[in-house]
Amino acid sequence: MAKLKVYHRRHKKKRRSPNWSELQPELLQLITNNLSFVNVLQFKAVCSSWKHAATSSHTPWLMLPSSSSRENDQNNPDSAARCFYSLEEQKVYTIKNAFQGFDHGARCVGSSHGWLVIMDSNGNPHLLNPFSRRQIQLPLIWPFPRLTGDLSLESLRMCVSIAKAVLSSDPSRDNNFAVVVIYDSLPSKLSFCKHGEEDSRWTVLNVRREYCDVIFHNKQLFALAGDGSVEVWDFNNSFPIKTIDLRQPFAEIGNVDIVKDFSRGIHSNQTYLVESLGEILFVGRIIQNFVKHEDIGEGDLPQESDYICPYRTLHFYILKLNITAKKWEKVESSLRNRALFLGGNQSMSVSTRDFPELEENSIYFTDDRWEEINYVEDYGGHDVGVYNLGNKIVKTLVLDQFNKWRVDPPPFWIVPNPW
């Protein structure tokens, strides 16, 4: 009797498709650390777990006017657009609705933790993240009546005089943050508000000094005055407490060799504070007040000259704060693999080891001479570049927006923040 052969059908195992949302957070972090900011925005859109993992840091971007030459025209559909230049990619991106919801008179007066401080045409302050497009309304700073739509932009700028605005922390991750502004003049004032508190309002800190710059470091506010003195305010309490008041005149600053080489009148000096590797630095910026296109100084200009004579940054110098000795000291060495970013933004120190696309021992700067920018029609916003502390050479950024003397609205450094 013949044996029957029995054939068993093999069933193929169904291959399980990978669940990308189950990748370990450590692996996701390694991935995001190697992505550009634009790729991070695409990365966080995949799923909720990837969105929460998108926490990598990036080099500052430069916010520029859009390619339209009529941004302040309220009838221009591109008035809400802004361009952003990535140093990492050396590429310009355009966000068409970055300032959506703001009218053509809105002005940026500060940049901190990836957020912009915006004054609208009615004098109301806002926080704006141009990448996530989140907005936070801040209390009205001044008790003046609501401004009308007929008020000219120039009149608004005369009423709304903010020299600097900084945040204590990232509003994307901390709802209990503080905002500090330097406003008014002769003397300028420090004022703050704490978001997240009931009945949040602006409160004046001090009115006795002419303030030049403010920065936050470890929940402490460092305020620099024109005479080189420094105040430190502790913001860990319900009301800020002044913990340090160093009244140091310009004795050390006046002895800096680079300052002696430039005469007053023809040159002017702007000053900044920046925290770098735990040290508080004083950065001086020497600006030639009148420069023709050929970089000829004021002394070489003929009396009958019709040339527009804007200003141009020539040099920088750095001192560091010795709190124990209560004085400023010269910085003899380089910035130790760092690059500084100065201007209307909260001053920053960035590692050139982490971001090799940046020039080490250099200062990236934007134009923050608000008197010229706000009141002069022919120029302003143009003084943008990179200064190398080693060879003392200033390089301009080769971008279409800098082919003219007037760049409006003026450029700002901002650290791109996806939240």
Side-chain angles (χ1 to χ4, degrees):
M1 187 176 199
K3 292 183 178 180
L4 294 174
K5 290 184 178 180
V6 178
Y7 294 92
H8 296 280
R9 188 175 182 180
R10 296 178 117 184
H11 294 279
K12 291 183 178 180
K13 287 186 177 181
K14 288 186 178 180
R15 183 176 295 176
R16 184 189 174 198
S17 58
N19 187 346
W20 298 108
S21 65
E22 295 180 352
L23 288 178
Q24 293 298 312
E26 294 81 4
L27 179 59
L28 293 175
Q29 187 64 59
L30 286 174
I31 295 172
T32 58
N33 287 342
N34 291 280
L35 296 179
S36 69
F37 177 70
V38 173
N39 292 143
V40 169
L41 293 178
Q42 298 167 338
F43 178 93
K44 68 188 284 285
V46 172
C47 61
S48 59
S49 63
W50 287 32
K51 179 178 180 180
H52 292 301
T55 58
S56 58
S57 58
H58 298 275
T59 57
W61 283 19
L62 185 62
M63 184 175 71
L64 301 162
S66 72
S67 56
S68 169
S69 60
R70 299 180 296 113
E71 282 189 350
N72 288 328
D73 181 357
Q74 59 184 337
N75 297 318
N76 178 15
D78 294 330
S79 61
R82 292 294 185 275
C83 289
F84 293 85
Y85 176 64
S86 166
L87 292 168
E88 178 183 3
E89 303 172 84
Q90 296 187 2
K91 183 176 179 180
V92 176
Y93 293 94
T94 300
I95 301 180
K96 292 185 176 180
N97 54 352
F99 273 51
Q100 186 175 9
F102 294 100
D103 56 34
H104 71 286
R107 305 290 292 184
C108 180
V109 296
S111 170
S112 185
H113 295 284
W115 290 73
L116 302 174
V117 184
I118 306 295
M119 296 295 297
D120 66 23
S121 58
N122 288 314
N124 298 315
H126 307 256
L127 297 184
L128 168 68
N129 183 329
F131 306 103
S132 68
R133 301 186 187 111
R134 282 187 58 196
Q135 295 183 24
I136 299 175
Q137 173 74 59
L138 297 176
L140 183 68
I141 296 181
W142 295 275
F144 53 69
R146 185 175 180 82
L147 304 177
T148 66
D150 296 331
L151 187 65
S152 68
L153 185 58
E154 288 72 24
S155 298
L156 168 66
R157 292 171 180 173
M158 293 179 69
C159 295
V160 182
S161 176
I162 291 183
K164 181 68 74 77
V166 299
L167 309 179
S168 62
S169 56
D170 181 0
S172 309
R173 305 186 180 280
D174 180 10
N175 190 51
N176 297 312
F177 60 89
V179 186
V180 174
V181 297
I182 302 176
Y183 75 102
D184 218 342
S185 59
L186 300 176
S188 57
K189 302 176 180 65
L190 288 182
S191 189
F192 77 95
C193 75
K194 285 195 171 184
H195 186 267
E197 292 187 351
E198 188 176 351
D199 193 27
S200 177
R201 65 182 63 187
W202 292 94
T203 305
V204 176
L205 273 181
N206 204 337
V207 296
R208 293 178 297 169
R209 295 179 180 172
E210 192 65 25
Y211 295 98
C212 302
D213 199 12
V214 285
I215 59 170
F216 268 105
H217 175 53
N218 292 335
K219 293 287 187 178
Q220 294 188 100
L221 179 75
F222 289 77
L224 174 69
D227 60 357
S229 59
V230 177
E231 298 171 357
V232 182
W233 296 80
D234 186 352
F235 270 71
N236 287 300
N237 303 286
S238 57
F239 191 90
I241 297 175
K242 185 189 291 187
T243 58
I244 298 175
D245 192 346
L246 299 180
R247 295 182 174 272
Q248 169 65 23
F250 269 112
E252 282 293 326
I253 300 173
N255 290 328
V256 177
D257 295 336
I258 195 170
V259 178
K260 297 178 181 179
D261 297 334
F262 299 98
S263 58
R264 295 182 179 179
I266 296 178
H267 304 94
S268 57
N269 187 28
Q270 282 185 238
T271 54
Y272 305 87
L273 283 180
V274 59
E275 180 274 327
S276 183
L277 298 176
E279 293 184 325
I280 301 300
L281 304 180
F282 173 107
V283 183
R285 177 177 179 176
I286 304 294
I287 301 173
Q288 187 165 335
N289 292 331
F290 301 97
V291 180
K292 291 201 300 186
H293 286 268
E294 299 84 2
D295 289 342
I296 298 176
E298 179 194 38
D300 299 316
L301 286 174
Q303 293 182 352
E304 67 276 8
S305 173
D306 302 355
Y307 284 96
I308 296 173
C309 302
Y311 47 88
R312 186 71 78 183
T313 294
L314 297 181
H315 295 283
F316 285 88
Y317 60 94
I318 300 179
L319 307 170
K320 65 179 179 181
L321 180 62
N322 185 329
I323 294 181
T324 303
K326 297 184 178 181
K327 67 177 182 177
W328 292 107
E329 297 176 341
K330 294 180 183 179
V331 175
E332 302 295 345
S333 60
S334 68
L335 286 174
R336 290 184 288 173
N337 302 306
R338 310 295 290 186
L340 306 184
F341 287 79
L342 308 178
N345 58 288
Q346 176 164 244
S347 304
M348 297 175 284
S349 172
V350 180
S351 169
T352 55
R353 287 182 175 175
D354 294 341
F355 302 104
E357 64 271 17
L358 300 179
E359 292 187 23
E360 66 175 353
N361 201 30
S362 294
I363 298 174
Y364 291 73
F365 61 91
T366 58
D367 195 343
D368 58 349
R369 286 182 46 138
W370 303 124
E371 289 189 5
E372 283 89 344
I373 292 172
N374 291 339
Y375 307 129
V376 178
E377 296 182 357
D378 297 323
Y379 56 86
H382 63 280
D383 191 17
V384 178
V386 185
Y387 177 82
N388 186 286
L389 288 162
N391 58 29
K392 298 180 173 55
I393 292 177
V394 176
K395 294 194 302 185
T396 57
L397 297 178
V398 183
L399 297 169
D400 291 341
Q401 284 84 351
F402 300 127
N403 289 333
K404 51 191 177 182
W405 289 113
R406 180 70 179 174
V407 183
D408 190 22
F412 269 82
W413 294 114
I414 178 172
V415 177
N417 182 345
W419 302 102

